[in-house]
Amino acid sequence: METLLVNCVEKNLTQFMFSNAIFLCERLLADFPSEVNLQLLARCYLSNSQPYSAYYILKGSKTPQSRYLFAFSCFKLDLLGEAEAALLSTEDSVEQVPGGAAGHYLLGLIYRYAGRKKSSIEQFRMALSCDPLCWEAYGELCSLGAAEEASTVFGNVAAQRLQKTNVSQTINFSEGEIRDQLIDSDKALKDTIVWQTEHVPGEKQQDMKVKQLGAEIPPDTDKQRNGSSHTNGWDLNTPSPVLTQVLDAPPPMLYKNMRRPEMEGLMSLHGESRRKFVCEEESSEAPEESGRRRSARIAAKRKIPLFHSYGKDSHGLHHSPSESNGVPSLSSMIGKCRIQSSKEATTSGQSINDTGSSVDDEQNSNLRGSSPDPFSLMSGISKVLNLLKILGDGHRNLHMYNCQEALLVYQKLSEKQYNTHWVLMQVGKAYVELQDYFNADSVFTLAHQKSPYALEGMDTYSTVLYHLKEEMRLGYLAQDLIAIDRLSPESWCASGNYYSLRKDHEAALKMFRRAIQLNERFTYAQTLCGHELAALEDFEDAERCYRKALSIDTRHYNAWYGLGMTYLHQEKFEFAQHQFKLALQINPRSSVIMCYFGIALHESKRNDEALKMMEKAIVVDARNPLSKYFKATILANLGDYHKALKVLEELKDCAPQESSVHALLGKIYKEVKLYDKAVLHFGIALDLNPSPSDAVKIKACMERLTVPNELETEEDL
């Protein structure tokens, strides 16, 4: 009963029938209370998004696996202190973190959210040292700005570790091991024959049991199975060397843990064709003596139960009873391997068994547990690490805001890898950081077309459409994302950007707050919420939102930039300079931050430093019109009108549709008493639909064109 319930629960978990798994597992735990079954129930609860249930049933457990599951439940419930205590049961147990790489990764997340950056970096590095394929740990290191070069992380040391952990089973089949196995093979065969004598007493008893199940097995087949000689009689039950390595089939001696009638009944389900296949194989195949000895030795040494109980370290796959009664040919095995290679494995390390399932399902489960060729495995490890080197190098450069370098690295990928959703998202984000919104739009559009169900990065895509002022497309995107998943924060961020583009800041604020409700650690939603509050001139609440975003991710430079803009609007220029400086330390290639940093310096009467900052912004990104506009503004305020006009004439050719550029040109021409040109540019500025406040200022300047400067000063006072 216990074995049946365990297998059914595992099957339900694999098939995402979580409620049914919980029901059966509760029955299992009631009749067979054990730590292993308790862990299985906790897994069911966690799979069904019930971390609170797993928390209560695991509280007080001391085994490593239970501690890991309990810590994971605490993390989901935001109980970071209890999660850390569960993973570190003693003071000096850093090396005893349960779960291996997963445990170190979880502990790193706990430290990160608790604000302990150095400890989190250490744990993420330990996770990578345990498992070089723990990509999420490397991604977190990139986010923290502490990632080493990908060539170092995924280099020779990682290859050696992967070979050590994955090739260990294959090494057991080396010539030295086989030689040792051949020495004791006779003893294994004798034990097998003794088991047959004890548990298969005779033809009459077997025939009687078969008849009870309604099976019709030819008498000749039974005689051949039970009364055969030592050389040929066990060919039907002892796997050949090829079958042992490919299928990892259990030896017949392990049938003693279940009733023989069930075995024969299951065998009879496959019909006459299976029995015919068995007889043909018996008469046609005569494997070498050394092959039979090796397979018998391996089977006796392993002792894998046919329907074993679930344990914390049980990763074996169950096999079909009919497989042990007949050895398939090598050609059929190769065909099955080819079929299996085109299918994805469901869940690694989980036992799957269904007594009513088809033979093909059980054969597929057998193939997942097969031992790979060591040479092909090493080649695969090399290919995987080379791929991770490219992806890691690009990801690291992107988080260091070396966006041009990141784009060049991603170009090294194959076309298939480049066109995956994750890579396209990274490329799109690189273009966003470069202020190249047109290329970013094309990349994000391609990614959304290829994977319309994927919502990762769609918040950034909506920001791109916001900057391009694509109101209609942004509205369609928001509706599409909400239709796909209403519980995704990215969907509500897209809706918030849509309302923000329409200047409906109250509605946008509601959308962003909804995104925060769905995920309190969604940093970008906190920042966007701060932007909307700043637009509503609620600077105190805006500052609170920015601080919250920085408490989640200290390297989120947009929040530092938002704080600087808040202080700049409040004319707290010293505070603004400090925030812009911190933002530039994270992203030293942002020309926008440099521009507003220069404005803050200019307002503090530090004009020389302000002009140097503007020059630096122009060098970093010559396509950004903001830096040239602010440089011209500073020059005009300093009275250097000729230099200002020169900068603005260049800017007018680059951005002819910007009303603010023509308005500033009009003011400068007015100061140099070129009134005709001043009127011309003021008129162009009004034709370009400026904001209502700017339109009022432009009209006021046009009305005072012929008024002496002394009178203008009196009117301003």
Side-chain angles (χ1 to χ4, degrees):
M1 177 179 174
E2 181 181 10
T3 304
L4 177 62
L5 287 176
V6 168
N7 293 329
C8 289
V9 170
E10 290 288 352
K11 176 188 172 184
N12 289 156
L13 289 176
T14 304
Q15 296 175 342
F16 309 104
M17 298 176 62
F18 301 132
S19 298
N20 197 63
I22 292 173
F23 174 80
L24 294 177
C25 200
E26 287 177 349
R27 310 284 79 73
L28 171 68
L29 191 62
D31 284 339
F32 305 97
S34 66
E35 190 75 15
V36 173
N37 292 336
L38 187 70
Q39 295 167 6
L40 182 59
L41 180 58
R43 284 176 51 205
C44 296
Y45 283 138
L46 290 172
S47 300
N48 200 38
S49 300
Q50 295 179 235
Y52 44 86
S53 300
Y55 171 84
Y56 283 108
I57 67 172
L58 290 172
K59 195 168 186 178
S61 299
K62 300 299 182 183
T63 60
Q65 181 67 12
S66 296
R67 285 165 48 204
Y68 174 78
L69 292 173
F70 179 72
F72 189 81
S73 304
C74 294
F75 178 76
K76 288 293 184 181
L77 296 172
D78 206 20
L79 303 174
L80 302 182
E82 291 190 53
E84 180 186 359
L87 291 174
L88 300 176
S89 59
T90 58
E91 296 180 357
D92 56 347
S93 60
V94 178
E95 298 181 356
Q96 301 176 4
V97 175
H104 287 293
Y105 173 71
L106 178 59
L107 191 56
L109 289 179
I110 293 169
Y111 285 146
R112 180 182 178 183
Y113 292 140
R116 299 160 65 179
K117 182 178 178 180
K118 292 183 179 179
S119 298
S120 65
I121 291 173
E122 180 183 357
Q123 292 300 321
F124 290 138
R125 287 176 175 169
M126 291 184 71
L128 276 174
S129 65
C130 294
D131 182 8
L133 299 185
C134 187
W135 170 261
E136 287 298 317
Y138 187 76
E140 292 294 338
L141 287 173
C142 291
S143 300
L144 293 171
E148 300 178 0
E149 292 186 3
S151 58
T152 302
V153 176
F154 305 108
N156 295 330
V157 177
Q160 293 174 2
R161 181 171 294 276
L162 288 176
Q163 291 173 8
K164 181 179 179 181
T165 56
N166 291 281
V167 188
S168 58
Q169 294 181 354
T170 308
I171 294 176
N172 292 332
F173 293 97
S174 62
E175 293 182 0
E177 288 290 326
I178 294 173
R179 191 178 299 111
D180 295 337
Q181 292 163 5
L182 289 175
I183 296 174
D184 298 330
S185 60
D186 291 334
K187 183 179 181 299
L189 288 174
K190 290 179 181 179
D191 294 339
T192 306
I193 296 173
V194 169
W195 176 88
Q196 184 193 26
T197 305
E198 294 177 354
H199 296 274
V200 189
E203 176 184 349
K204 295 182 180 180
Q205 182 177 355
Q206 184 174 357
D207 291 341
M208 179 182 65
K209 294 179 179 179
V210 171
K211 289 179 181 178
Q212 290 176 356
L213 294 174
E216 297 180 0
I217 300 179
D220 294 339
T221 305
D222 284 336
K223 292 180 180 179
Q224 200 170 16
R225 183 182 296 110
N226 294 316
S228 56
S229 64
H230 174 75
T231 305
N232 298 323
W234 283 97
D235 282 354
L236 298 178
N237 288 330
T238 304
S240 66
V242 175
L243 185 62
T244 303
Q245 296 183 34
V246 179
L247 276 184
D248 199 14
M253 62 172 13
L254 302 172
Y255 291 161
K256 62 185 179 181
N257 291 330
M258 66 178 299
R259 293 179 297 176
R260 188 69 179 179
E262 295 175 356
M263 289 295 299
E264 297 296 340
L266 288 174
M267 183 182 68
S268 65
L269 293 176
H270 302 293
E272 190 68 27
S273 60
R274 170 62 66 182
R275 295 192 292 272
K276 180 179 179 181
F277 173 78
V278 170
C279 296
E280 291 175 356
E281 286 296 312
E282 179 188 6
S283 60
S284 62
E285 291 190 0
E288 297 179 359
E289 185 68 16
S290 60
R292 288 195 301 274
R293 289 181 178 179
R294 189 183 86 172
S295 60
R297 172 58 182 159
I298 295 171
K301 187 176 180 179
R302 290 182 177 178
K303 292 188 178 180
I304 304 174
L306 184 65
F307 289 93
H308 59 74
S309 300
Y310 174 82
K312 64 180 180 180
D313 295 327
S314 62
H315 300 286
L317 298 174
H318 301 298
H319 306 283
S320 171
S322 61
E323 286 294 335
S324 61
N325 293 303
V327 181
S329 63
L330 181 60
S331 60
S332 64
M333 284 308 308
I334 295 175
K336 292 170 189 174
C337 290
R338 289 175 178 171
I339 294 173
Q340 176 61 22
S341 63
S342 63
K343 300 179 180 179
E344 295 182 356
T346 53
T347 304
S348 177
Q350 294 184 351
S351 298
I352 305 170
N353 190 11
D354 181 12
T355 56
S357 61
S358 64
V359 178
D360 291 337
D361 293 338
E362 293 174 337
Q363 289 173 347
N364 288 339
S365 66
N366 294 340
L367 289 173
R368 294 190 194 104
S370 61
S371 300
D373 178 22
F375 298 103
S376 62
L377 182 58
M378 292 178 185
S379 176
I381 289 174
S382 177
K383 291 179 181 178
V384 169
L385 290 179
N386 287 334
L387 176 60
L388 291 182
K389 285 179 185 179
I390 299 175
L391 295 174
D393 195 12
H395 198 55
R396 178 175 177 271
N397 278 307
L398 181 58
H399 279 276
M400 297 299 293
Y401 300 101
N402 301 324
C403 299
Q404 291 287 359
E405 291 83 350
L407 291 174
L408 293 176
V409 170
Y410 286 130
Q411 291 293 333
K412 299 178 182 178
L413 292 170
S414 64
E415 184 178 356
K416 294 180 180 179
Q417 288 290 339
Y418 185 87
N419 287 323
T420 56
H421 180 79
W422 187 88
V423 174
L424 290 176
M425 287 296 102
Q426 304 305 305
V427 172
K429 290 177 182 178
Y431 280 124
V432 170
E433 296 297 339
L434 292 172
Q435 310 291 320
D436 191 352
Y437 297 118
F438 290 103
N439 280 327
D441 180 23
S442 62
V443 173
F444 278 117
T445 302
L446 176 62
H448 189 52
Q449 289 175 352
K450 286 183 172 294
S451 305
Y453 52 84
L455 302 183
E456 181 187 0
M458 290 296 102
D459 51 331
T460 308
Y461 183 25
S462 66
T463 301
V464 171
L465 297 178
Y466 171 88
H467 284 292
L468 294 176
K469 301 186 184 333
E470 294 282 355
E471 182 178 336
M472 183 176 295
R473 290 177 58 197
L474 182 54
Y476 278 124
L477 177 65
Q479 291 181 355
D480 190 20
L481 296 181
I482 289 180
I484 294 172
D485 188 2
R486 294 180 61 87
L487 300 180
S488 172
E490 288 86 355
S491 303
W492 296 101
C493 282
S495 298
N497 279 329
Y498 170 73
Y499 285 112
S500 180
L501 183 59
R502 299 186 63 183
K503 307 300 181 184
D504 190 352
H505 300 295
E506 293 287 350
L509 190 59
K510 291 180 181 178
M511 301 296 106
F512 294 137
R513 283 175 173 168
R514 172 61 175 160
I516 294 172
Q517 287 178 351
L518 293 170
N519 185 359
E520 294 182 355
R521 293 194 178 102
F522 194 35
T523 312
Y524 194 45
Q526 297 278 3
T527 303
L528 292 175
C529 197
H531 290 341
E532 295 305 313
L533 289 168
L536 294 171
E537 297 185 356
D538 189 354
F539 298 117
E540 184 176 352
D541 288 341
E543 182 179 350
R544 190 177 298 111
C545 287
Y546 293 135
R547 297 289 183 190
K548 178 64 176 177
L550 291 172
S551 67
I552 301 171
D553 184 4
T554 56
R555 296 191 76 250
H556 188 62
Y557 77 91
N558 291 298
W560 292 113
Y561 164 77
L563 279 174
M565 293 298 296
T566 301
Y567 290 132
L568 191 62
H569 285 301
Q570 293 176 315
E571 297 184 356
K572 298 178 181 180
F573 303 119
E574 296 294 334
F575 290 105
Q577 292 171 28
H578 178 68
Q579 308 303 325
F580 290 136
K581 186 176 180 180
L582 291 175
L584 280 177
Q585 288 178 358
I586 300 170
N587 185 3
R589 292 173 176 79
S590 176
S591 60
V592 175
I593 299 176
M594 292 177 185
C595 291
Y596 287 105
F597 191 13
I599 290 295
L601 292 171
H602 172 63
E603 295 294 340
S604 300
K605 309 302 181 184
R606 299 165 62 179
N607 296 315
D608 292 339
E609 296 180 43
L611 286 174
K612 289 181 180 179
M613 187 60 63
M614 294 302 174
E615 291 288 348
K616 185 177 179 180
I618 293 173
V619 172
V620 169
D621 187 4
R623 297 174 299 175
N624 185 10
L626 204 60
S627 54
K628 294 181 179 179
Y629 175 78
F630 283 144
K631 179 182 178 181
T633 302
I634 295 174
L635 291 172
N637 292 336
L638 294 176
D640 197 345
Y641 298 119
H642 294 288
K643 288 185 179 179
L645 283 174
K646 183 179 179 180
V647 174
L648 286 174
E649 288 295 335
E650 295 177 358
L651 181 59
K652 182 183 67 174
D653 297 334
C654 298
Q657 302 299 320
E658 290 291 336
S659 62
S660 56
V661 174
H662 293 280
L664 184 56
L665 276 170
K667 291 179 182 179
I668 295 176
Y669 280 126
K670 175 180 174 293
E671 294 295 332
V672 297
K673 302 185 185 306
L674 296 175
Y675 299 118
D676 294 338
K677 291 186 177 182
V679 171
L680 173 64
H681 286 285
F682 281 139
I684 295 175
L686 288 174
D687 292 338
L688 292 175
N689 296 323
S691 63
S693 58
D694 290 340
V696 171
K697 294 178 181 179
I698 293 172
K699 290 179 181 179
C701 290
M702 292 180 68
E703 292 174 357
R704 293 183 297 181
L705 277 177
T706 57
V707 180
N709 292 335
E710 294 79 5
L711 296 178
E712 286 186 17
T713 305
E714 293 177 1
E715 290 179 3
D716 293 338
L717 294 175

